C-alpha cells in the first residue's frame, strides 16, 4: 500500500522583475522554502517517494547556484525523488539536467527521468511510467506509450507526465504537449501524476494536476498545494489529499468605485487579508478628495503589512464634492482651476489632470493646516 507525494511546476530560477527588489527576492526565496516544506511533508506523511511532474526549473539557463540549491532543498526527505523534465526544462541533448550532473549536484536518491521508460522502485512498491519532454513542444501524446509498457507484478502503476489534458483545460494551453483524457484507463494506471497546469485540479479519480507548491502569478486556480496519494491496492481507487504548501497568497482585484460604501468595502477586504499576501489592485470609477485621502492612508498601511501591494489608480477619477471644496476654502480662481481639472479628467491626459488635482488639493490642505497653527 504505497504512499507518495505528487508535486510539479516549481519553476525554480523564475524572476519577479515586476516587483520591488526586496519583494522579488522574498518571492524567489519562498520557492526554495517550498521545496524544503515538500521534503518535510513527505517525511511527516511517511511517503515512499516524491514525484515531480515537470518544470522543476523555469529555464535551461538558470544559474549553477540555483541548481545546487534546488537539490540541497530536498535533503530532509531521504527516500526516492523522481524528477521529470517539462516544457521549461526539457531533456535536450544539452540542458539544465546535464549541467546538474556535471556539477555533481544530483543526490543519489534523486532519479532524473530524462528518457521515456519505467523507473521501478521495488522496495517502495512503485513502477513509475515516465513521459519526459525532450523538446519544449510536442504535438503527439507522449503518454500513449504507457499503454504498451509492462511493469512488474505487485507494483503500483503510476504515470508521470507534463502536458495538457485535451478538451478539459482552457483552449490556450490545449495546443501542444497533449494528453488523452482517459489515459489512466487505457494504460491501466493506478494513478496519473500530471504537471503543467499550475493549480490543483482533478481530472478523474485517478488523474490529477498537483499545481505549483508556491503561487507565482495572479490566477485563482487553487495553486499552492501538493498531493499526498495513497494507493490501497491494484486497480483500487487511490486516496488523494491536497496539502497546503504556499507561503504567500496572491490576490488580483479589479474594482469600480461609484459610491462611498464601495471604498469602505474595499478597505475592509484589504484589512481582512493575511500579512503574507501579494496584492495587485486596479481601481476605476470616482472617489472624493476625502475618499482619496482615506485610500492613500490605507494603502500606506497595507504596504507595511503585506509582502507586496501594487495599486493602479489611473482609471480612478477625483470628484471633489462641494464639502471637499468648501473644506479647502477653494473659492475664486482656485475654485475655477479645480473645476477645470475635474473636467480634464475626461480627456486623453486624464492621468496628468488627476495628479494635478491631487497635488493642488494637498497644497490647499497643507496651507489650511499651517494657517491654523
Amino acid at each position: 500500500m504505497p504512499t507518495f507525494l505528487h508535486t510539479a511546476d516549481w519553476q525554480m530560477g523564475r524572476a519577479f522583475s515586476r516587483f520591488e527588489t526586496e519583494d522579488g527576492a522574498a518571492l524567489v526565496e519562498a520557492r526554495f522554502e517550498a521545496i524544503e516544506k515538500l521534503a518535510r511533508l513527505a517525511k511527516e506523511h511517511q511517503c515512499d517517494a516524491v514525484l515531480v511532474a515537470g518544470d522543476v526549473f523555469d529555464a535551461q539557463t538558470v544559474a549553477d547556484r540555483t541548481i545546487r540549491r534546488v537539490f540541497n532543498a530536498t535533503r530532509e526527505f531521504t527516500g526516492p525523488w523522481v524528477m521529470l523534465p517539462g516544457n521549461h526544462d526539457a531533456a535536450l541533448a544539452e540542458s539544465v539536467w546535464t549541467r546538474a550532473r556535471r556539477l555533481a549536484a544530483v543526490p543519489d536518491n534523486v532519479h532524473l527521468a530524462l528518457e521515456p521508460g519505467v523507473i521501478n522502485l521495488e522496495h517502495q512498491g512503485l513502477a513509475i511510467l515516465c513521459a519526459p519532454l525532450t523538446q519544449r513542444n510536442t504535438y503527439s501524446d507522449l503518454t500513449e506509450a504507457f499503454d504498451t509498457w509492462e511493469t512488474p507484478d505487485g507494483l503500483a502503476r503510476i504515470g508521470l507526465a507534463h502536458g495538457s489534458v485535451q478538451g478539459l483545460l482552457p483552449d490556450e494551453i490545449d495546443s501542444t504537449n497533449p494528453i488523452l483524457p482517459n489515459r489512466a484507463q487505457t494504460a491501466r494506471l493506478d494513478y496519473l501524476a500530471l504537471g503543467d497546469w499550475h493549480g490543483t485540479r482533478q481530472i478523474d479519480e485517478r488523474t490529477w494536476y498537483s499545481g505549483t507548491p508556491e503561487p507565482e502569478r495572479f490566477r485563482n486556480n487553487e495553486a499552492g498545494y501538493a498531493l499526498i496519494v495513497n494507493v490501497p491496492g491494484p486497480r483500487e481507487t487511490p486516496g488523494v489529499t491536497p496539502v497546503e504548501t504556499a507561503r504567500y497568497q496572491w490576490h488580483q482585484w479589479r474594482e469600480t468605485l461609484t459610491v462611498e460604501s464601495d471604498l469602505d468595502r474595499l478597505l475592509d477586504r484589504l484589512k481582512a487579508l493575511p500579512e503574507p499576501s501579494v496584492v495587485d489592485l486596479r481601481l476605476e470609477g470616482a472617489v472624493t478628495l476625502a475618499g482619496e485621502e482615506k485610500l492613500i492612508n490605507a494603502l500606506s498601511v497595507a504596504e507595511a503589512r503585506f509582502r507586496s501591494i501594487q495599486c493602479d489608480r489611473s482609471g480612478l477619477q477625483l470628484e471633489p464634492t462641494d464639502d471637499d471644496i468648501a473644506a479647502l476654502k477653494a473659492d475664486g480662481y482656485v475654485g475655477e482651476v479645480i473645476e477645470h481639472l475635474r473636467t480634464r479628467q475626461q480627456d486623453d491626459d486624464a492621468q496628468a489632470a488627476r495628479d494635478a488635482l491631487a497635488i493642488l488639493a494637498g497644497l490647499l490642505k497643507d496651507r489650511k493646516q499651517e494657517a491654523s497653527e
Side-chain angles (χ1 to χ4, degrees):
M1 191 166 62
T3 298
F4 58 88
L5 186 148
H6 168 200
T7 180
D9 298 294
W10 294 357
Q11 310 286 154
M12 303 307 297
R14 187 180 183 91
F16 295 91
S17 56
R18 64 170 291 181
F19 297 95
E20 296 292 334
T21 301
E22 179 183 351
D23 296 330
L27 295 173
V28 168
E29 196 62 27
R31 306 195 74 73
F32 287 103
E33 293 172 358
I35 302 175
E36 294 172 350
K37 185 169 186 177
L38 292 171
R40 289 195 301 272
L41 286 170
K43 184 177 180 179
E44 291 167 7
H45 288 267
Q46 299 181 330
C47 290
D48 295 292
V50 175
L51 308 185
V52 191
D55 283 359
V56 170
F57 299 97
D58 190 56
Q60 303 285 2
T61 55
V62 299
D64 288 354
R65 180 172 184 268
T66 298
I67 295 174
R68 294 185 187 278
R69 288 195 67 192
V70 164
F71 292 108
N72 287 346
T74 68
R75 284 178 176 169
E76 190 160 345
F77 179 69
T78 58
W81 297 67
V82 179
M83 296 186 179
L84 185 87
N87 58 306
H88 281 259
D89 54 8
L92 310 176
E94 177 61 30
S95 70
V96 62
W97 303 104
T98 56
R99 272 202 295 139
R101 281 181 167 170
R102 280 201 303 273
L103 291 169
V106 185
D108 292 340
N109 63 321
V110 175
H111 303 262
L112 303 185
L114 304 187
E115 298 178 356
V118 180
I119 295 176
N120 290 319
L121 303 176
E122 295 185 6
H123 181 71
Q124 290 76 22
L126 296 167
I128 315 300
L129 291 74
C130 304
L133 289 175
T134 56
Q135 57 190 42
R136 186 175 179 89
N137 295 312
T138 63
Y139 295 90
S140 59
D141 185 351
L142 300 181
T143 67
E144 185 176 359
F146 292 177
D147 293 0
T148 60
W149 290 349
E150 297 299 326
T151 55
D153 293 339
L155 300 188
R157 285 173 62 89
I158 310 298
L160 188 63
H162 189 89
S164 174
V165 173
Q166 295 298 284
L168 297 179
L169 297 179
D171 292 340
E172 63 267 22
I173 65 169
D174 275 355
S175 57
T176 58
N177 309 327
I179 296 173
L180 190 70
N182 64 338
R183 180 60 66 201
Q185 178 181 353
T186 65
R188 311 177 312 285
L189 300 178
D190 293 294
Y191 183 83
L192 177 55
L194 296 179
D196 195 26
W197 181 252
H198 283 209
T200 300
R201 180 159 180 169
Q202 181 180 10
I203 302 302
D204 59 36
E205 63 182 10
R206 300 181 186 276
T207 307
W208 286 72
Y209 284 96
S210 66
T212 180
E214 182 66 31
E216 86 296 353
R217 62 181 69 170
F218 294 105
R219 181 179 291 176
N220 184 19
N221 64 349
E222 300 299 325
Y225 292 86
L227 302 177
I228 304 296
V229 183
N230 176 267
V231 181
R235 303 310 299 157
E236 293 187 36
T237 302
V240 181
T241 304
V243 180
E244 189 170 4
T245 54
R247 176 175 180 182
Y248 294 114
Q249 297 180 10
W250 290 51
H251 305 272
Q252 187 175 62
W253 296 349
R254 301 293 181 252
E255 304 288 335
T256 300
L257 307 180
T258 54
V259 294
E260 185 176 357
S261 59
D262 291 339
L263 177 59
D264 291 336
R265 281 193 293 270
L266 171 64
L267 299 187
D268 287 342
R269 288 177 65 199
L270 275 179
K271 290 178 183 178
L273 289 178
E275 290 187 9
S277 291
V278 178
V279 183
D280 177 61
L281 282 176
R282 186 169 68 206
L283 302 180
E284 298 180 346
V287 67
T288 66
L289 291 181
E292 170 84 348
E293 183 177 6
K294 185 190 297 186
L295 174 62
I296 295 301
N297 288 338
L299 291 175
S300 179
V301 171
E303 286 175 352
R305 284 189 62 229
F306 300 148
R307 176 68 270 167
S308 171
I309 182 167
Q310 298 176 331
C311 183
D312 179 0
R313 295 183 292 127
S314 60
L316 187 64
Q317 295 187 14
L318 284 178
E319 293 288 351
T321 64
D322 292 339
D323 290 341
D324 288 331
I325 296 174
L328 295 172
K329 300 187 183 303
D331 50 8
Y333 175 71
V334 176
E336 292 177 3
V337 171
I338 289 178
E339 186 59 36
H340 175 68
L341 291 174
R342 290 173 63 180
T343 303
R344 290 292 297 275
Q345 290 184 98
Q346 307 296 331
D347 300 338
D348 292 338
D349 56 353
Q351 182 63 49
R354 185 192 187 285
D355 291 344
L357 183 54
I359 292 170
L360 178 57
L363 291 173
L364 291 173
K365 182 179 179 182
D366 290 345
R367 188 178 71 178
K368 179 184 175 184
Q369 289 175 342
E370 291 172 359
S372 64
E373 294 176 353

